[in-house]
Amino acid sequence: WASWLGLWLILMGILGKLAGIITSIPDCVLGGMTIFLFSNVLVSGITLASSLDLSSRRIRFIMALSLAIGVGVTVWPYAFLDMRASSRTANFWRCENCNSTTKGIRDGISIFLSTGYCVGT
């Protein structure tokens, strides 16, 4: 399946008319598809969680930690971002006197960790 999907993506990138057809899908249709997709992911997660043995302390800890990180970043995205007025001041990695390469790596990690979709929400 992965090779067919890769071929499909290459064709979409090369053939402008084919990409134009996909691009012409209205935003409301894409929004509905996205809601349906994430609803299915949520239902699958609930089904998986209902089959677990919740009397195990280890499983409860793993579930609590994953939910806390995922929901926490979505609720408070500034945990890993800089304060508005000053750059490179996030508490997880302060970098006032770093070189440009370190600043770029730090900024990339900061953006990645501050996005709820990347963390797994």
Side-chain angles (χ1 to χ4, degrees), residues 24-35:
S24 68
I25 298 174
D27 289 339
C28 58
V29 174
L30 290 176
M33 290 168 43
T34 304
I35 290 172

Side-chain angles (χ1 to χ4, degrees), residues 35-54:
I35 290 172
F36 184 73
L37 170 76
F38 286 115
S39 299
N40 280 324
V41 171
L42 177 68
V43 169
S44 297
I46 291 171
T47 303
L48 178 69
S50 68
S51 67
L52 295 175
D53 177 26
L54 293 179

Side-chain angles (χ1 to χ4, degrees), residues 47-101:
T47 303
L48 178 69
S50 68
S51 67
L52 295 175
D53 177 26
L54 293 179
S55 63
S56 168
R57 177 181 261 176
R58 178 178 177 267
I59 292 175
R60 283 185 294 159
F61 177 77
I62 291 170
M63 284 183 62
L65 185 65
S66 62
L67 285 172
I69 291 173
V71 174
V73 169
T74 302
V75 171
W76 190 52
Y78 298 108
F80 297 106
L81 286 178
D82 298 323
M83 302 302 165
R84 292 183 186 189
S86 55
S87 62
R88 295 175 182 79
T89 57
N91 288 327
F92 85 99
W93 185 355
R94 292 188 179 270
C95 186
E96 286 103 11
N97 299 322
C98 299
N99 61 14
S100 61
T101 305

Side-chain angles (χ1 to χ4, degrees), residues 9-28:
L9 290 174
I10 290 171
L11 285 175
M12 293 264 294
I14 293 173
L15 302 174
K17 298 285 183 186
L18 188 61
I21 292 170
I22 302 299
T23 310
S24 68
I25 298 174
D27 289 339
C28 58

Side-chain angles (χ1 to χ4, degrees), residues 92-93 102-115:
F92 85 99
W93 185 355
T102 308
K103 288 178 183 178
I105 292 171
R106 182 217 174 268
D107 290 344
I109 292 172
S110 175
I111 291 169
F112 179 78
L113 290 176
S114 63
T115 306

